[in-house]
Amino acid sequence: MFISGFLPRSSKNGVSKTQSAGNQRHKSSLVGTSETTRATTYPKSFCEWLAGILDGDGSIQVSKKGYTSLEITMGLEDLPLLRYIQHMLGGSIKMRAGAKAYRYRLHNHLGMIKLMNCINGHIRHSTRLLQLHRVCQVLEIPVILPIPLDAQSNWFAGFFDADGTISIAMKHGLPQLSIRVTNKLLQDVESYKVIFGGSLYFDSSQNGYYQWSVQSRKDVIMMLDYFKSNTFRSHKSRRFFLIEEYYSLYDLKAFKPDSIHHKAWLAFLDKWNKLMI
């Protein structure tokens, strides 16, 4: 699940550097497996959360001229989230032409070094891990393999901010609250099932993707407990604050049109929907 064999190793501490004759640019990057190789100036909770954001909505690249950069693109409603990242890392934010989205970008050399030392070991998305390897190779930073996740990891919060949803749908006359996370590859969402339970299934629409979800009250409350100790920052995560109110109204059967509490249910739905605007 954690792609632990993705990056090659040929010695106890990693692969030694090599150089091609007449070409100093082709190097194999070191691969580390210990936290002792990390030298970050950011809190671990921020680094885990940021890695989750990048795994979902980010891109770390090396240009043809060998310059490294980070880009994160999110909808207009998540500008405060991007502002927070800018506050922590520096960089710039611009509205994308013709799209209802903002793009955050970091390309300062020292800033990229600090970024790599922050997210190194926390990146685990298949595509992003390859990008991390390439950037670290250019910056001559040993790559740290993905560190195993646990129920306290802020990575889940970051990845949810990027690729998660909370929704309520009516099924057979009853409201059903669901927490979901989607991605193209199974291995990039299955860690949610390992830690939080729920189910995984493949959806063939939109060229196909995998979706993890929890719908039972027990599993949803477990996610709510996680939320209370781990900071989400996207606009959609605000719905977590309404989960307890949802279950209180559900137990009162306020969703039924003939219920004396139905006006409270309608007011709740109004709040629920406004959080996504």
Side-chain angles (χ1 to χ4, degrees):
M1 175 180 66
F2 301 110
I3 328 174
S4 60
F6 183 81
L7 302 177
R9 287 177 291 175
S10 61
S11 66
K12 181 178 180 180
N13 295 318
V15 181
S16 60
K17 296 180 183 178
T18 61
Q19 295 181 348
S20 302
N23 190 342
Q24 301 295 315
R25 293 180 61 189
H26 292 283
K27 303 175 181 178
S28 60
S29 60
L30 296 172
V31 179
T33 57
S34 171
E35 285 288 295
T36 60
T37 62
R38 184 193 310 281
T40 180
T41 58
Y42 301 105
K44 181 181 179 182
S45 58
F46 170 74
C47 294
E48 292 177 341
W49 174 83
L50 180 61
I53 289 287
L54 298 189
D55 278 339
D57 280 339
S59 177
I60 43 181
Q61 299 290 342
V62 179
S63 70
K64 292 181 179 180
K65 294 184 178 180
Y67 297 112
T68 61
S69 65
L70 160 69
E71 290 187 357
I72 305 171
T73 301
M74 305 190 83
L76 299 179
E77 62 278 357
D78 280 321
L79 177 60
L81 183 154
L82 295 179
R83 290 290 190 197
Y84 171 69
I85 295 175
Q86 183 184 39
H87 170 73
M88 296 294 287
L89 303 180
S92 61
I93 299 174
K94 293 183 179 180
M95 181 180 289
R96 293 189 62 186
K100 296 180 179 180
Y102 286 101
R103 174 177 290 168
Y104 166 82
R105 190 165 189 265
L106 176 71
H107 57 84
N108 174 271
H109 181 71
L110 180 58
M112 287 298 296
I113 291 176
K114 290 183 177 180
L115 170 68
M116 291 302 103
N117 285 325
C118 176
I119 63 174
N120 202 358
H122 301 304
I123 292 292
R124 60 194 67 248
H125 185 281
S126 310
T127 300
R128 216 69 63 233
L129 188 58
L130 179 60
Q131 294 176 354
L132 175 78
H133 197 149
R134 289 170 175 165
V135 171
C136 284
Q137 188 174 26
V138 170
L139 299 177
E140 299 186 341
I141 297 174
V143 173
I144 301 176
L145 301 179
I147 298 167
L149 295 168
D150 57 38
Q152 285 73 50
S153 174
N154 284 272
W155 181 90
F156 290 108
F159 199 73
F160 180 89
D161 278 335
D163 285 346
T165 58
I166 309 176
S167 61
I168 296 175
M170 295 300 294
K171 294 183 178 180
H172 307 295
L174 298 174
Q176 177 70 67
L177 187 149
S178 301
I179 300 175
R180 304 174 187 273
V181 178
T182 61
N183 204 268
K184 289 292 184 181
L185 297 177
L186 174 63
Q187 65 197 55
D188 294 324
V189 295
E190 64 181 349
S191 53
Y192 278 88
K193 178 174 175 57
V194 172
I195 300 298
F196 300 109
S199 59
L200 284 166
Y201 71 91
F202 179 76
D203 191 319
S204 59
S205 64
Q206 303 177 34
N207 295 320
Y209 62 88
Y210 288 91
Q211 181 169 266
W212 167 85
S213 67
V214 290
Q215 298 181 345
S216 72
R217 182 182 295 207
K218 177 183 177 181
D219 288 341
V220 169
I221 293 301
M222 181 183 298
M223 282 300 297
L224 181 60
D225 289 341
Y226 169 83
F227 168 78
K228 290 179 179 179
S229 59
N230 296 272
T231 302
F232 293 79
R233 297 187 180 275
S234 66
H235 77 290
K236 56 196 171 187
S237 65
R238 300 171 194 162
R239 284 181 167 179
F240 274 105
F241 292 108
L242 297 178
I243 288 178
E244 291 179 333
E245 183 179 353
Y246 163 81
Y247 282 122
S248 294
L249 291 171
Y250 185 95
D251 290 341
L252 292 171
K253 293 182 172 54
F255 53 86
K256 293 188 174 182
D258 59 352
S259 169
I260 61 174
H261 304 291
H262 192 60
K263 286 186 178 180
W265 174 255
L266 295 178
F268 165 80
L269 290 181
D270 187 53
K271 287 188 296 182
W272 182 268
N273 293 322
K274 280 184 177 180
L275 289 179
M276 296 302 288
I277 298 175

